[in-house]
Amino acid sequence: LPICPVQVLEAAIKTAFNPALVDIDGMRVKKGQALALDLRERIQARDTLREQIAGHAENTVDTYRNALMGRLKLLKLDLDVSDERVLKEIAIFADRSDISEELTRLGSHFDQFNEFIDADEATGRKMDFLCQEIHREFNTTGSKSSPIEITRAVIEGKNALERIREQVQNIE
């Protein structure tokens, strides 16, 4: 049977096209590996930041209690430090300023982010959603905390998270 010109043309296109596809796929794999490494390093740095925030948050309630008592003494108010109302105010602040849940959720989100990096499926949208959740936890941590070290760490975390989010936009 004679070979049709269309078949010759098709064979030539396949011969040229297949190596190009292999090259493109190889470039995508390399880019994906580099992106995974970059994201993993950035998430690890945010986790280190989370640990620093936890260290700064350890004495927040005691510091507030001491400041409140100091202000009361300066005002020379005749209040009993064991007064139930004063203790209730301190307890309310302690509850409002406790960021342990936020820090726990941040740690969990960072672990999940790393699991998404290792997944063999498309996780770009999941990572984007997780970035939103991480941002929310940073916001809540910042709003519940008054120490300047925590505020600075939260700002740093949120700024770096934006760079992570930009990278995540490149993931399927």
Side-chain angles (χ1 to χ4, degrees), residues 58-71:
E58 286 178 0
N59 299 320
T60 302
V61 175
D62 290 336
T63 302
Y64 177 75
R65 183 185 335 100
N66 294 338
L68 178 62
M69 294 302 179
R71 286 187 202 128

Side-chain angles (χ1 to χ4, degrees), residues 12-32:
I13 290 172
K14 283 183 181 179
T15 301
F17 204 67
N18 285 337
L21 287 176
V22 170
D23 287 347
I24 288 172
D25 193 44
M27 289 184 333
R28 287 184 70 209
V29 168
K30 283 183 181 179
K31 181 180 177 183

Side-chain angles (χ1 to χ4, degrees), residues 14 18 50 58 81 102 117-118 132 135-136 164 171:
K14 283 183 181 179
N18 285 337
R50 179 190 61 84
E58 286 178 0
V81 291
E102 287 75 17
I117 291 171
D118 295 333
Q132 291 175 26
H135 190 267
R136 184 173 300 133
I164 291 171
I171 298 174

